[in-house]
Amino acid sequence: MNWRDEYTFAWEGEHVTVYGYERAEAEVCGGSFEALDQNSAAIIDLLRYDDSLHYDYYWMSQDVWDGRCPPGAIACTSLGVPWTRSIPHMHEAAHALSYLTPGHGCTSVLEEGLAEYFGGPRFHADWNHWSSPEFEGTISEFLTAVKLPGRGYERAGHFASFLVEAYGPEAVASLCRTIPHFSTEEDWQDATQAILGVELEHLLEEYGQYPLCHHQQYRARLWECAGEPDAVADPHGEVVFEVSMDCHDPGTIGPLAGRIVATRRIWFPEDMRAGVFVVGEDGEAANLDFNLEECAPCSAYPDLFANTDLTTVFNFRAGMYELILYSEPEESESLVIRLVPF
């Protein structure tokens, strides 16, 4: 029997069917499958892909996964099918959708760049209002790479963010269809002139002026930031809301990197200074990590805050923020989030 037929369960959504291999549905957090499907739908809508696209996703135990992806890989996508040990893996889902388009994906720097751009949340420990990241390499050296090296992923994601902001998602999708996988500088020159209306040299100069952003700031966050807020801060009074960090709750995803993740949208009606206090069931400060990310593009220098021993009081700008909570699976509890103006 083919090993692909030996799955233990299948879950079918609008754009993805998840197959578990030596996995049980009870192992996954309650909102994971839906979040994967919603993010896929958002990518399809943004890039104007065929709305009927549907892919398979293999969620594997360590034993099944061993030896199936290249050495050192955290996950991989084979012929349009993500193979992962965690779920939802938004990076690999982006590869799956790209594979289903004419031409079976983009040239490597755009393929990996868009996958990074559409990636999911990862905890960022830097509490500073703004600290510049350090990307390895230049985009020029990666443009014609047949296989983008791992050190170039964040740079490629940042470049994809620039292209989407500066020229629009449909233009980026057109670049993917036009530039061959085994590309030359001349291929890029022809494509940028025909699709973007600029010389390649001008495009790279323009990219050089694009602000430096951490991955958590430049990524799209399509399914995370879109929609109505879960809470609205009040400049004149405390706002309280609850978040369940029980993995079975439909408001959680993962486990991702061994942790339960919950995201909530908070609207700040005006610029304000506020404390964000996460309280556990015992009435004390909860023992977990969180990020607060402004739902704004990289060009707007979006805020990125993290809980630290120093402070959880921050200066917020008017607009939407995403609160991302990370906890250990065994520490499942109901949390109270307090937004207190200062």
Side-chain angles (χ1 to χ4, degrees):
M1 178 182 290
N2 189 311
W3 69 268
R4 292 175 176 81
D5 298 325
E6 298 179 0
Y7 54 88
T8 49
F9 77 87
W11 179 93
E12 185 165 357
E14 181 181 4
H15 296 292
V16 60
T17 299
V18 177
Y19 293 92
Y21 291 88
E22 293 186 1
R23 293 288 196 181
E25 287 189 73
E27 294 178 64
V28 71
C29 293
S32 295
F33 298 150
E34 288 79 4
L36 182 64
D37 205 31
Q38 289 169 10
N39 194 54
S40 299
I43 294 173
I44 289 169
D45 181 64
L46 184 73
L47 297 179
R48 299 294 187 265
Y49 288 164
D50 186 337
D51 192 52
S52 66
L53 291 186
H54 193 104
Y55 64 96
D56 293 340
Y57 184 113
Y58 292 175
W59 179 40
M60 305 173 173
S61 70
Q62 181 66 48
D63 287 344
V64 175
W65 189 86
D66 279 342
R68 300 197 185 279
C69 285
I74 297 173
C76 62
T77 295
S78 175
L79 300 177
V81 179
W83 294 0
T84 76
R85 292 164 292 175
S86 62
I87 191 168
H89 201 301
M90 303 305 191
H91 177 111
E92 299 302 332
H95 283 319
L97 291 170
S98 177
Y99 182 83
L100 294 174
T101 61
H104 299 304
C106 315
T107 188
S108 187
V109 69
L110 290 179
E111 181 71 24
E112 297 299 346
L114 285 171
E116 284 290 285
Y117 178 64
F118 293 127
R122 305 172 192 163
F123 178 66
H124 195 290
D126 191 339
W127 72 274
N128 292 306
H129 171 77
W130 184 261
S131 61
S132 295
E134 296 182 2
F135 298 137
E136 292 191 43
T138 65
I139 199 62
S140 297
E141 70 180 274
F142 297 138
L143 281 183
T144 58
V146 174
K147 180 174 175 55
L148 186 71
R151 68 186 181 88
Y153 274 42
E154 282 197 282
R155 169 68 73 183
H158 183 253
F159 183 57
S161 173
F162 157 72
L163 290 174
V164 172
E165 272 206 74
Y167 295 96
E170 291 186 68
V172 181
S174 294
L175 288 176
C176 281
R177 291 192 297 269
T178 304
I179 301 172
H181 183 75
F182 296 95
S183 63
T184 64
E185 188 171 317
E186 289 72 25
D187 293 323
W188 275 90
Q189 181 70 265
D190 292 344
T192 56
Q193 286 181 321
I195 297 168
L196 307 182
V198 297
E199 298 283 342
L200 177 60
E201 181 180 4
H202 175 77
L203 178 72
L204 297 180
E205 289 175 355
E206 189 180 1
Y207 170 62
Q209 302 304 310
Y210 190 61
L212 286 175
C213 298
H214 294 286
H215 177 259
Q216 290 304 295
Q217 292 167 305
Y218 72 61
R219 67 190 183 91
R221 293 168 288 178
L222 299 177
W223 62 279
E224 296 161 69
C225 283
E228 295 297 314
D230 299 292
V232 177
D234 184 349
H236 307 293
E238 181 174 334
V239 172
V240 176
F241 63 98
E242 295 184 0
V243 176
S244 172
M245 293 304 288
D246 185 330
C247 188
H248 299 293
D249 189 272
T252 61
I253 63 172
L256 296 174
R259 299 206 280 185
I260 299 171
V261 179
T263 68
R264 296 294 187 272
R265 291 180 291 273
I266 303 173
W267 177 260
F268 290 86
E270 61 184 60
D271 292 359
M272 62 182 289
R273 183 169 176 80
V276 180
F277 305 106
V278 182
V279 181
E281 293 175 350
D282 59 1
E284 302 295 328
N287 182 27
L288 50 68
D289 291 317
F290 70 78
N291 282 155
L292 273 158
E293 302 175 7
E294 185 179 8
C295 292
C298 177
S299 62
Y301 295 90
D303 289 332
L304 171 58
F305 302 128
N307 66 301
T308 70
D309 292 332
L310 298 177
T311 184
T312 59
V313 179
F314 309 110
N315 293 318
F316 295 95
R317 294 187 281 197
M320 191 79 82
Y321 282 72
E322 179 190 17
L323 171 66
I324 311 175
L325 300 150
Y326 304 83
S327 73
E328 303 298 328
E330 62 271 13
E331 295 179 2
S332 174
E333 62 179 328
S334 180
L335 304 174
V336 171
I337 313 299
R338 298 174 54 226
L339 306 177
V340 183
F342 274 76

